[in-house]
Amino acid sequence: MAEPLLRVDDLNISFHGGRSVTHAVRGVSFDIDREKVGIVGESGSGKSQTGRALLRLTPKGARITAKALSFDGIDLLAASEPDMRKIRGKRISMILQDPKFSLNPLMRVGQQIVEAYRVHTPSSKAEARDKAMAMLEAVNIRNPRRVFELLPHEVSGGMGQRIMIAMMLILEPDLIIADEPTSALDVTVRRQVLTILDELVTRRGAGLMFISHDLNMVADFCDRVLVMYAGRIVEDIPARDLKHAEHPYTRALLDSLPRLDRPVDMLTVPKRDPAWLTSPTIRRASA
Amino acid sequence: MADITRPSSLSAWLREPIPTSSWQARAQQLWLSWRALRSNPSVMFGGTVILAVALLAIFAPLVATHDIYAQDLSIRLQKPSAAHWLGTDELGRDVYSRLVFGARITLYIAGLTAIIAAPIGLMVGTTAGYIGGWVDTVLMRIVDVFLAFPSLILALAFVAALGPGIENAIIAISLAAWPPIARLARAETLSIRKSDYIAAVRLQKASSLRIIFNHIMPMCIPSVIVRVTLNMAAIILTAAGLGFLGLGAQPPSPEWGTMLSSAREFIFTNGTIAAIPGTAILLVSLAFNLLGDGLRDMMDPRHG
Amino acid sequence: MMPSQTLGKDRILEAVGLHVSFGTGLTSTVAVDDVSFTIARGEAYGLIGESGCGKSTILRTIAGLVDSYDGALLFGNKELPGKRDKDFFRKVQMVFQDPYGSLHPRKMVESVLAEPLAIHKFDNPRQRIDAVLEAVGLGPSFRFRYPHELSGGQRQRVAIARALVIEPEVLLLDEPTSALDVSVQAEILNLLKTLRRETGVTYFMVSHDIAVITHLCDRIAVMADGRIIEEMTAADVRAGRAREPYTRTFLEASTGYVTAS
């Protein structure tokens, strides 16, 4: 069997602060090939830290260990900082939650996309500008010439996120990590952004790691879902099989959401079972 | 009903996860703050130096070796020796004893100024920030007038008007010290009053007075403490400056600035008598600066 | 806008032609544009819309946190004066969205709950505080905790306790669960439902999540650009009986991902 694009084996991330040690991620293992994989969990589940560890963007006090952390044959654990810089943005890129905080507020958005391009690819200013314009069109921005000259505070949330996507995908990376990319957006805009992301990812044949707290959205959008709880993956299941999920935590997450099509009087509140902290991952292979 | 056993020690009482009285809860929070302070080297160093100076000042009569006013012209301008640990000044007085009593005056001036200026600044600033409108405008223009003068000049002007002396020096320095604190408190208040917990109290129809004193001031106190501590160095230097110019403590008072002033003429004969009060001023100012820096580092990341 | 029918029940809160704008002259923006609604005593009324539609502004205007507005707001069939009085605040209280910002960082739970009791001169503060803490599922052991020692869900419970301790008639809820995890949200929604059943308090809730608001509320108004587009019952929403095109688009976008299980 061909080596998957991303292989993570027994990833552990811990924070050593003063007297206490926090194990944010404990023994997480999964593969991502050219598919859309969703990582779902509540706050404190370790999902964001997992994504950041791949690009070594974890906070200073973090200690990362793993049996294997490889991307397209490159050992991400052993890579030097200059190597990581070459990977970040060009081979693996990351889309963050709120464009208000991830775009440079003082630089015009078009210029930011151009910069992102020229950092990794030697090209003339005119070439890069054309590429940026093409990217803005690819994310369905109707008037790219006008938007190119705007500052981040002048664009709406949905448009900002699409610009973020343009910036992150202009170098055609092989793996995209999206950390809650639609959580800060309105419902009607979410659909648009997800559609664009879907299109670009599928067209390029890239892999997508979609981190979110919204189980239903991830299940609809992704091919596979990894459910995280307290730093571990409790269930690894194809998205379409989610209704047959076996792990009690996954079931509890599904049942505790209010639903329009199944009204209940009282919502089920997940009862945390300490066994979940150590039980093995329930994996179900994709068909 | 569980048997209520008394915790075996103070330490256990402080570590109990569920406090059973408001005193216990407050004590626990203070203890946690103390532990945080202890782990900060700037705070510990600065705090220890200030504590040492304070102890010297309090126990001055016990620690001093000679009468600070006793003159003996036959032993004037001597270098440090076994009899006079830091030497003698131009009138034969023991420099060490005068230094130790001078610490009293310095800390007295610094402490009193802080006690006067900080509350005034806090009250003016929070009121202006919360009530806004013409109250804010009037109060802030008054603050602006005070801020327009450099603090030493302002203190000089007040002392010139009120006459020299320690008490007048204190009043003068306080008048120069409260406006920056008012500005700081107002800036903090402007951002605090937008928060939901203030909205919640307004929704209980709490009076403005209650909101300002009970809710807004407690939130401003950490930054005011830091600011005052950092200003201490300036206050001490201003007091020394006034003393140096003969407008603060009057000779034969052992105030450090006055000592420095009288030592001026003898710098080339016996540099120590000028260097010693100067070094003392430096050390205490540095200690306050370090304390303030350490406190600010602790406050900043936690109270955003 | 069609005036809503309250089936002859006792009207507790009513807005007539409410209009709120911010800024002056060229920079003025209209946040709430000619909004009218009626809420009956004991019912749960929901307001839903996207960010910037004006729903939170309406809530804050009712609470008296907005300086000036046009149109009329009536409480118990009497028009509210420009500046709300103490009696109003005894009867109307609010729960805020962000549990991490709605409690004073330096005050213990005991102090937070004792203050409204003191301001409105209630007797037996100790018993009332114990009772309300039990009612929100925390218990008296939480009296001496500070907010930074509490989780998001616990803080929100304290915020609800603070609002309920003076026994109001109307509770304004500004997206009370949107900052909480899914499992904690379920707890808080259950708590809100139970409390309403036990005390008969009226809810006026604002949210951007249609499933949450339909779970809790009887009638729901959809807002956009400062205007109420449509008013529906919870049953209407579940059956997808939306009349206006905006409502249809909104419902579709919100339910697009419910196909999971």
Side-chain angles (χ1 to χ4, degrees):
Chain A
M1 223 194 80
E3 182 81 6
L5 186 60
L6 176 73
R7 155 147 290 159
V8 175
D9 192 0
D10 197 29
L11 175 67
N12 282 280
I13 304 176
S14 54
F15 291 91
H16 297 253
R19 310 160 150 227
S20 58
V21 182
T22 322
H23 295 282
V25 174
R26 303 177 298 128
V28 159
S29 306
F30 61 90
D31 296 332
I32 297 183
D33 212 344
R34 295 175 187 280
E35 57 182 333
K36 301 198 288 283
V37 173
I39 302 190
V40 178
E42 297 183 298
S43 50
S45 58
K47 56 191 196 297
S48 271
Q49 295 300 340
T50 307
R52 278 158 199 269
L54 297 178
L55 286 174
R56 227 181 274 166
L57 291 174
T58 43
K60 262 215 160 114
R63 235 172 267 182
I64 305 171
T65 57
K67 281 205 196 103
L69 191 63
S70 78
F71 167 72
D72 201 21
I74 308 168
D75 184 356
L76 292 176
L77 274 179
S80 64
E81 186 54 28
D83 289 336
M84 284 310 293
R85 274 202 287 270
K86 285 202 210 99
I87 294 176
R88 279 184 211 127
K90 185 151 174 63
R91 309 239 26 228
I92 307 180
S93 69
M94 189 156 177
I95 300 171
L96 297 165
Q97 177 171 342
D98 199 336
K100 270 203 309 279
F101 300 124
S102 42
L103 289 173
N104 184 337
L106 299 174
M107 201 190 273
R108 298 190 187 279
V109 299
Q111 191 56 34
Q112 296 191 42
I113 304 177
V114 165
E115 294 245 331
Y117 185 70
R118 294 186 76 204
V119 162
H120 288 275
T121 316
S123 62
S124 71
K125 279 202 196 152
E127 246 175 70
R129 195 191 154 93
D130 286 337
K131 270 252 163 196
M133 287 287 182
M135 234 16 234
L136 285 176
E137 273 177 30
V139 296
N140 278 359
I141 287 179
R142 259 181 308 234
N143 199 339
R145 285 191 185 285
R146 190 185 74 93
V147 172
F148 194 95
E149 303 296 336
L150 291 177
L151 288 168
H153 69 264
E154 294 173 315
V155 303
S156 69
M159 195 180 280
Q161 203 62 318
R162 284 184 280 160
I163 291 168
M164 195 71 214
I165 293 174
M167 205 160 101
M168 290 296 137
L169 266 57
I170 195 168
L171 291 161
E172 303 191 345
D174 293 306
L175 178 67
I176 300 149
I177 305 173
D179 193 349
E180 307 262 15
T182 56
S183 304
L185 302 175
D186 280 326
V187 202
T188 46
V189 176
R190 260 177 220 187
R191 262 283 191 70
Q192 281 174 28
V193 171
L194 286 177
T195 315
I196 291 164
L197 194 56
D198 192 359
E199 226 178 80
L200 291 173
V201 163
T202 323
R203 210 184 322 148
R204 162 73 187 148
L208 175 68
M209 181 196 257
F210 194 103
I211 301 171
S212 174
H213 64 274
D214 190 335
L215 184 52
N216 287 315
M217 176 173 70
V218 164
D220 197 39
F221 182 67
C222 298
D223 305 317
R224 219 158 29 97
V225 178
L226 305 173
V227 181
M228 281 189 78
Y229 173 76
R232 306 190 58 247
I233 297 182
V234 294
E235 192 153 15
D236 178 349
I237 190 171
R240 66 174 167 279
D241 292 336
L242 195 59
K243 46 185 166 300
H244 305 303
E246 287 165 19
H247 197 280
Y249 178 65
T250 318
R251 291 235 61 92
L253 273 188
L254 290 169
D255 293 336
S256 65
L257 281 167
R259 298 170 52 92
L260 285 179
D261 54 347
R262 256 197 354 224
V264 288
D265 186 34
M266 288 285 146
L267 299 164
T268 340
V269 177
K271 269 195 232 346
R272 287 159 204 283
D273 186 348
W276 296 346
L277 295 170
T278 47
S279 58
T281 311
I282 299 178
R283 287 188 202 274
R284 188 195 291 236
S286 321
Chain B
M1 169 83 166
D3 179 38
I4 304 168
T5 46
R6 291 213 151 263
S8 51
S9 65
L10 183 65
S11 159
W13 186 72
L14 285 171
R15 283 173 212 270
E16 239 180 287
I18 299 178
T20 48
S21 73
S22 64
W23 291 115
Q24 187 176 15
R26 267 189 266 264
Q28 287 184 343
Q29 293 302 310
L30 278 172
W31 182 64
L32 286 169
S33 309
W34 166 243
R35 283 197 18 210
L37 281 171
R38 242 183 22 199
S39 63
N40 187 315
S42 292
V43 169
M44 286 319 283
F45 181 76
T48 315
V49 170
I50 294 169
L51 191 63
V53 173
L55 286 173
L56 274 179
I58 293 172
F59 294 109
L62 301 172
V63 179
T65 50
H66 296 78
D67 178 359
I68 56 172
Y69 297 114
Q71 302 180 11
D72 186 352
L73 293 169
S74 64
I75 51 167
R76 59 198 291 270
L77 299 174
Q78 277 186 359
K79 298 255 189 254
S81 64
H84 295 273
W85 296 348
L86 291 174
T88 57
D89 68 4
E90 72 283 3
L91 293 176
R93 298 175 292 201
D94 178 38
V95 172
Y96 165 73
S97 306
R98 286 177 64 78
L99 196 73
V100 159
F101 273 89
R104 279 194 171 185
I105 300 175
T106 304
L107 291 181
Y108 176 65
I109 294 178
L112 224 56
T113 312
I115 291 175
I116 296 174
I120 296 179
L122 198 54
M123 277 193 282
V124 169
T126 49
T127 310
Y130 183 72
I131 297 186
W134 63 265
V135 171
D136 182 18
T137 314
V138 166
L139 287 174
M140 282 301 116
R141 295 299 79 79
I142 296 175
V143 167
D144 282 342
V145 167
F146 277 87
L147 280 175
F149 298 94
S151 54
L152 184 59
I153 309 286
L154 194 59
L156 272 176
F158 279 116
V159 164
L162 300 166
I166 292 188
E167 280 73 26
N168 292 340
I170 291 175
I171 294 175
I173 303 173
S174 307
L175 284 169
W178 76 264
I181 297 178
R183 275 234 158 248
L184 175 67
R186 178 179 176 270
E188 296 265 324
T189 306
L190 286 178
S191 70
I192 291 169
R193 74 172 206 197
K194 290 195 215 118
S195 47
D196 281 346
Y197 56 83
I198 298 290
V201 173
R202 282 174 62 190
L203 279 171
Q204 291 160 7
K205 201 63 181 182
S207 63
S208 294
L209 202 68
R210 181 189 267 270
I211 294 178
I212 292 176
F213 272 89
N214 220 336
H215 294 262
I216 295 187
M217 274 203 199
M219 294 299 289
C220 293
I221 286 181
S223 30
V224 168
I225 290 179
V226 171
R227 187 56 192 268
V228 166
T229 313
L230 288 172
N231 271 359
M232 243 359 141
I235 292 173
I236 290 171
L237 289 169
T238 311
L242 286 176
F244 186 81
L245 292 169
L247 293 169
Q250 296 294 294
S253 168
E255 200 264 316
W256 293 347
T258 323
M259 284 171 74
L260 201 55
S261 170
S262 352
R264 245 186 315 163
E265 314 169 35
F266 307 98
I267 279 190
F268 294 110
T269 335
N270 182 353
T272 356
I273 40 169
I276 286 166
T279 313
I281 295 171
L282 170 75
L283 259 180
V284 176
S285 304
L286 185 65
F288 273 113
N289 265 332
L290 284 173
L291 181 63
D293 259 348
L295 284 177
R296 186 188 43 211
D297 287 340
M298 280 176 51
M299 309 268 183
D300 262 330
R302 288 208 280 149
H303 311 287
Chain C
M1 263 316 84
M2 284 205 294
S4 44
Q5 293 103 342
T6 52
L7 307 164
K9 280 197 229 150
D10 180 13
R11 296 176 183 198
I12 193 165
L13 195 59
E14 190 171 349
V16 181
L18 188 62
H19 187 102
V20 181
S21 58
F22 295 110
T24 50
L26 287 170
T27 57
S28 76
T29 44
V30 177
V32 178
D33 189 2
D34 190 30
V35 160
S36 304
F37 55 81
T38 325
I39 303 178
R41 188 179 289 274
E43 87 165 312
Y45 189 84
L47 201 54
I48 192 161
E50 304 197 305
S51 49
C53 68
K55 55 192 195 296
S56 285
T57 312
I58 291 183
L59 222 56
R60 297 179 78 88
T61 312
I62 295 175
L65 296 171
V66 168
D67 289 329
S68 69
Y69 58 90
D70 292 315
L73 280 173
L74 293 94
F75 181 72
N77 289 318
K78 271 205 309 261
E79 182 160 350
L80 289 171
K83 237 175 162 333
R84 308 276 181 266
D85 58 8
K86 218 178 202 177
D87 189 55
F88 174 77
F89 287 126
R90 233 242 61 217
K91 304 211 176 93
V92 177
Q93 275 296 309
M94 188 154 157
V95 174
F96 297 86
Q97 175 177 357
D98 182 12
Y100 293 89
S102 65
L103 297 178
H104 195 292
R106 301 247 194 286
K107 291 192 180 291
M108 281 182 256
V109 171
E110 162 103 353
S111 168
V112 167
L113 298 176
E115 189 159 27
L117 291 173
I119 294 173
H120 292 275
K121 304 201 181 22
F122 274 69
D123 57 353
N124 290 328
R126 175 72 195 269
Q127 282 93 309
R128 288 178 189 274
I129 292 174
D130 282 342
V132 79
L133 282 174
E134 289 285 358
V136 299
L138 286 176
S141 68
F142 277 82
R143 282 173 65 208
F144 305 110
R145 315 302 285 277
Y146 282 90
H148 63 258
E149 298 175 305
L150 304 175
S151 69
Q154 287 167 336
R155 288 186 211 211
Q156 204 61 318
R157 287 176 196 265
V158 173
I160 294 172
R162 172 179 61 192
L164 290 178
V165 76
I166 52 174
E167 294 166 5
E169 293 170 17
V170 176
L171 203 54
L172 305 170
L173 298 154
D174 190 358
E175 307 220 35
T177 58
S178 59
L180 302 172
D181 276 330
V182 164
S183 50
V184 182
Q185 172 176 274
E187 287 174 19
I188 301 292
L189 289 177
N190 286 352
L191 173 66
L192 287 172
K193 236 191 194 180
T194 315
L195 287 170
R196 191 174 141 236
R197 257 185 218 147
E198 285 172 1
T199 60
V201 66
T202 309
Y203 282 168
F204 185 2
M205 177 159 161
V206 153
S207 178
H208 64 272
D209 187 327
I210 191 76
V212 164
I213 219 169
T214 317
H215 174 79
L216 212 48
C217 299
D218 311 317
R219 278 191 305 139
I220 296 150
V222 178
M223 269 191 85
D225 289 323
R227 325 194 97 232
I228 291 187
I229 307 292
E230 187 170 355
E231 214 182 73
M232 309 159 72
T233 63
D236 287 337
V237 174
R238 293 206 178 96
R241 283 192 289 263
R243 283 190 304 268
E244 301 289 329
Y246 177 81
T247 323
R248 255 193 268 273
T249 327
F250 186 81
L251 287 180
E252 219 178 76
S254 309
T255 57
Y257 305 104
V258 187
T259 53
S261 58

